Each structure stands twice: as C-alpha cells, then as structure tokens.
Amino acid sequence: MRAAPGAARVGAMGIEDYGGGSGAQQTGVMVVTTNDVPGYRVEQVIGEVFGLTVRSRHLGSQIGAGLKSMIGGELKGLTKTLVQTRNQAMERLIEQAKARGANAVLMMRFDVTDAADVGTEVCAYGTAVVLVPAST
C-alpha cells in the first residue's frame, strides 16, 4: 500500500497502518464514542451491539517481541496485529448494528484482554441506534 502524498511515516510503516476502521460513508453506519451526535437526534434505541475477535499469538512475533523488550522500543509487528484485530472487531460491530436496523453506534468502546495466555481478545461494543437529522 502506498502512502498518501504528505502522509506521515513511522519507521517502515505509515500512519495509515495504525489507523482505525472504515468511516460511515463506506459502511453506512456512523460509529462514535460520544453519547450523542451534533445535528442528529436518537429516534430509536436498538440496544447493545458488539464485535468480538480473539487472535492467537504467533511464535515468531513473540520471540521478536521478547528480544525487542530487552532493548526497548515499539513492537511494530504486534502493534500492526492489534490494529488489524481492532478493525476486525469494529467490522463485526458494524455488521451486527446493520443487521439490527441501526444506522449508528453511540458510546463505542474497546475492551482488550488476554485470552488464557494464548491470545488477545478484543471486543468493540456500544449502543445501536437510529439517528435522524435534528430538524425532522
């Protein structure tokens, strides 16, 4: 993937490698961490939705991470894997919201935990709602 002109580069990876998921224009579902959205009102609260994924740890990355932790610095391979994992959880959250008839998810949060020392569990969760412009 090529970086956009003027995009910041971090080591061998660009800022796009560390970014979040797709926007509302691409998915049809607005996802925000706030309780409300300026210019919109909640017409219907559908309820809690979540997207969950568990990723196992790759032996090679674990060895590399162990070595890197001795000398310090960012664990870029693990960082990239965590971003991909969070994005997958977000995709599942959006799929569930769409399936239940929502066009937005309010108060979205991530929960990240170790899963029995074999992987990382990432859960994206929030409240599925139907938003309408405030003027209607």
Side-chain angles (χ1 to χ4, degrees):
M1 176 186 317
R2 295 190 59 183
R9 297 297 291 176
V10 181
M13 296 167 62
I15 194 70
E16 68 277 1
D17 294 319
Y18 296 102
S22 303
Q25 295 81 9
Q26 296 160 330
T27 65
V29 176
M30 182 185 307
V31 179
V32 297
T33 59
T34 57
N35 296 336
D36 52 23
V37 177
Y40 291 87
R41 67 177 175 78
V42 175
E43 183 175 75
Q44 178 185 2
V45 175
I46 295 171
E48 180 188 13
V49 289
F50 66 91
L52 179 68
T53 185
V54 178
R55 291 280 174 106
S56 64
R57 295 187 177 117
H58 181 272
L59 180 61
S61 67
Q62 287 297 97
I63 292 170
L67 294 173
K68 185 74 171 182
S69 68
M70 287 186 228
I71 59 171
E74 181 181 11
L75 307 173
K76 291 181 179 157
L78 292 177
T79 299
K80 189 170 183 176
T81 299
L82 183 56
V83 169
Q84 292 168 345
T85 303
R86 286 172 61 126
N87 287 345
Q88 184 177 43
M90 280 287 295
E91 289 167 8
R92 291 177 177 173
L93 169 88
I94 290 167
E95 287 172 13
Q96 190 179 91
K98 278 181 168 179
R100 296 182 62 192
N103 67 356
V105 176
L106 303 180
M107 300 176 285
M108 192 285 296
R109 302 288 187 265
F110 283 108
D111 184 36
V112 180
T113 58
D114 282 333
D117 291 332
V118 296
T120 302
E121 173 189 321
V122 176
C123 182
Y125 62 96
T127 303
V129 299
V130 174
L131 291 180
V132 295
S135 60
T136 60

